[in-house]
Amino acid sequence: MSYKIEVSGLRKSFGTLTVLRDINVAVEPGQVVALIGPSGSGKSTLLRCLNLLVMPDGGKVRIGNDSFSFGTGSKMPGTKEQARFRSNTGMVFQHFNLFPHMTVVENVMEGPVSVKGMSKRQAEQLARRLLAKVGLSDKVDVFPNKLSGGQKQRVAIARALAMEPEVMLFDEATSALDPELVGEVLGVMRDLAAEGMTMIIVTHEIGFAREVADRVVFMRDGVIVEEGPAREVIGHPRQEATKAFLSHFHNRG
Amino acid sequence: MSYTWNFDIVWGYRWILLNGTAVTIGLTIAVIVLGLVVGLVAGIAQLSRSPVLRWLSWAYIEMFRLTPLLVLLLWFYYALPIVTGIKLDALTASIVTLTLYGGSFYAEIIRGGIVSIDPGQSEAGMALGMTPARVMRRIVLPQAIKRMIPPLMNQSIIQFKNTSLVSVLAVPDLLYQGQVAAMDTYRALEVYTVVAAIYVIVLLPLTAIVKRAENRLAQSN
């Protein structure tokens, strides 16, 4: 049980399209893993299988003390069990998905109040503390449509943290941002990593992956092609596919 | 050809026409409230994971949306007793028919409003650990209802006018009372003009409210 996240034999198809084939990943507590690879490689689907936003067809997923098996012979988890499983992982989406009918502080309070049954007063204190942490104390009572993309994503991170999850999942958290706003979000993620949060990051920011991630997993066509320490995989890739993928970034930088 | 208008005769029927107006308004309110309940259930059933529920609600919606209201009224009043032995009085048959008819249109508006919300909203709610029911209540419906209000109000305005058809079952609504007055007085022109004017006068403020709601929605988006 030394791993925080353990995925074994994970499979997923959409119709006839196989997106994940026999994926095995293990993440130690406090580790930051960057998932990289071309579009359609299955990395986002893998991330979404980890909190059951996509139901795997087969294999096993364990996060902390909670685990589910999928496929023939295993009982599909009910909606309540799924919800409880998800509440233990924080998810940050590419398009933020803030709740537009709630203020910033209400967005962050929603999880603790409506899922954990925390009192509003207590949840508001927690929310204000988290918003201060992501540098948005002055935006507490504002509605999301008044925020920049970078600010929205920082609120989304605070909202996910409010559930006090064991694991944070980032699904291309900076891909929808204007280049000048990427830094503020990566800054928050860097702080989280430094605090010892276990994180899986799907990203195209190769520089950031090299700097912050402990391990890098390179995926293509639904399989893990190469994985290892971040500097090794990015600096000295062994597989041809990894080299080819990374060469786009080296050429650009 | 010269016609001498005579609205004085109509004035003599003012209480009867007012009474009919009250019946029309009361009937409209009843079938809007009941129709919204039916529409909400059928609209959400359309999005259910159960194929049986989806099929049942689909069958209901299409059956009532695609049958003329007049045919439905006559069927529920004259045909239902033959099939089931249940004899509804004219007012009850009218309420049941208008409720089910209006509900089928409301259901489509409600379903459409719900599916118009970005799936990312549900995902964000689920990711926090909410159950699907809670996501619907806390995240999706509050946003969807705002979008549904203008079309629901439009449908309700149509429903107000639809109630005039119940006069064929001798329910004493505004049009029925107008028919009585017209036959008594032989003043069809004046009576039906006044009846038409009453429908317009009642609906004018409502259409203004819908306009305002639509404008506000356009701004907030």
Side-chain angles (χ1 to χ4, degrees):
Chain A
M1 289 287 273
S2 68
Y3 292 115
K4 178 69 85 185
I5 303 172
E6 224 176 338
V7 174
S8 52
L10 199 71
R11 286 183 291 109
K12 179 68 193 177
S13 304
F14 294 112
T16 55
L17 179 72
T18 305
V19 188
L20 297 174
R21 359 176 155 237
D22 192 29
I23 297 285
N24 299 288
V25 179
V27 182
E28 285 168 21
Q31 236 185 11
V32 177
V33 172
L35 273 179
I36 62 171
S39 333
S41 57
K43 54 195 194 303
S44 276
T45 305
L46 171 56
L47 201 70
R48 295 159 75 84
C49 280
L50 288 180
N51 72 351
L52 313 183
L53 282 182
V54 169
M55 272 302 165
D57 295 334
K60 201 177 156 193
V61 174
R62 180 175 69 76
I63 291 180
N65 295 324
D66 274 341
S67 72
F68 282 125
S69 294
F70 305 90
T72 41
S74 351
K75 195 170 152 285
M76 282 285 277
T79 52
K80 286 227 170 79
E81 287 138 47
Q82 288 179 32
R84 194 177 47 75
F85 188 85
R86 288 192 192 103
S87 69
N88 196 23
T89 63
M91 179 100 171
V92 177
F93 299 89
Q94 181 177 359
H95 295 290
F96 331 123
N97 299 347
L98 292 183
F99 306 133
H101 57 304
M102 300 180 187
T103 61
V104 163
V105 73
E106 286 167 347
N107 263 276
V108 182
M109 291 163 61
E110 183 60 27
V113 170
S114 122
V115 176
K116 284 185 170 173
M118 189 184 281
S119 76
K120 285 217 164 131
R121 212 170 53 83
Q122 220 182 334
E124 192 178 332
Q125 284 175 355
L126 171 68
R128 284 177 183 276
R129 202 171 70 235
L130 289 168
L131 287 167
K133 181 174 164 165
V134 298
L136 289 172
S137 288
D138 54 331
K139 301 290 183 191
V140 168
D141 294 316
V142 167
F143 280 92
N145 62 357
K146 295 278 182 275
L147 300 178
S148 73
Q151 291 168 335
K152 282 181 190 169
Q153 198 57 301
R154 285 186 282 154
V155 174
I157 293 172
R159 178 177 67 179
L161 289 174
M163 290 301 292
E164 295 170 324
E166 284 192 73
V167 169
M168 285 286 283
L169 309 174
F170 293 84
D171 191 4
E172 304 200 16
T174 58
S175 298
L177 296 177
D178 293 336
E180 73 269 23
L181 301 177
V182 168
E184 60 190 71
V185 173
L186 292 184
V188 170
M189 291 165 67
R190 191 179 289 124
D191 291 347
L192 268 181
E195 284 170 26
M197 175 62 80
T198 309
M199 295 163 49
I200 298 187
I201 303 171
V202 170
T203 187
H204 291 287
E205 302 283 337
I206 301 299
F208 179 75
R210 176 165 45 197
E211 179 206 341
V212 175
D214 301 297
R215 297 169 62 76
V216 166
V217 172
F218 174 72
M219 288 182 69
R220 207 182 76 167
D221 299 332
V223 294
I224 293 176
V225 176
E226 182 167 357
E227 65 171 304
R231 277 160 210 285
E232 230 165 79
V233 174
I234 293 173
H236 311 284
R238 276 170 287 135
Q239 302 292 329
E240 284 308 314
T242 321
K243 285 180 194 164
F245 175 73
L246 288 170
S247 71
H248 299 299
F249 295 90
H250 294 315
N251 290 346
R252 255 200 332 211
Chain B
M1 183 193 124
S2 77
Y3 182 88
T4 324
W5 292 78
N6 186 347
F7 280 105
D8 292 349
I9 292 180
V10 183
W11 184 246
Y13 285 85
R14 63 189 179 282
W15 296 116
I16 292 177
L17 291 179
L18 262 178
N19 200 304
T21 308
V23 169
T24 291
I25 291 175
L27 182 62
T28 305
I29 291 171
V31 298
I32 286 175
V33 171
L34 294 170
L36 281 172
V37 174
V38 171
L40 186 67
V41 172
I44 289 180
Q46 277 282 279
L47 303 168
S48 158
R49 273 186 299 179
S50 147
V52 178
L53 275 182
R54 279 205 308 271
W55 188 88
L56 281 175
S57 56
W58 172 84
Y60 152 66
I61 290 168
E62 293 307 316
M63 201 152 73
F64 280 85
R65 256 184 358 150
L66 301 181
T67 312
L69 180 53
L70 187 53
V71 174
L72 288 172
L73 276 169
L74 295 173
W75 195 90
F76 271 84
Y77 189 62
Y78 293 109
L80 186 71
I82 302 170
V83 184
T84 62
I86 303 167
K87 173 94 184 96
L88 302 175
D89 65 74
L91 183 62
T92 312
S94 301
I95 291 175
V96 169
T97 311
L98 281 164
T99 294
L100 293 174
Y101 183 76
S104 68
F105 286 90
Y106 289 143
E108 277 300 283
I109 293 170
I110 289 166
R111 186 195 63 80
I114 290 171
V115 300
S116 79
I117 301 300
D118 172 16
Q121 289 290 308
S122 300
E123 289 185 350
M126 306 266 272
L128 287 175
M130 295 186 188
T131 57
R134 198 181 294 271
V135 167
M136 185 55 78
R137 218 170 47 237
R138 296 282 310 168
I139 308 299
V140 177
L141 275 184
Q143 298 181 56
I145 284 171
K146 230 174 68 180
R147 293 188 193 176
M148 293 172 198
I149 283 174
L152 285 177
M153 288 181 78
N154 270 323
Q155 191 58 46
S156 301
I157 286 171
I158 296 171
Q159 190 73 327
F160 179 79
K161 297 189 290 178
N162 281 342
T163 58
S164 63
L165 286 171
V166 304
S167 58
V168 299
L169 304 186
V171 173
D173 76 322
L174 174 56
L175 179 58
Y176 181 82
Q177 302 291 29
Q179 284 170 327
V180 171
M183 273 186 277
D184 276 5
T185 59
Y186 299 103
R187 283 285 172 178
L189 177 58
E190 286 86 345
V191 170
Y192 287 129
T193 304
V194 167
V195 166
I198 293 174
Y199 280 105
V200 172
I201 289 164
V202 173
L203 285 181
L204 260 181
L206 285 176
T207 55
I209 292 171
V210 175
K211 241 283 131 68
R212 258 202 10 218
E214 277 172 349
N215 285 341
R216 213 170 328 142
L217 184 72
Q219 276 166 21
S220 73
N221 285 348

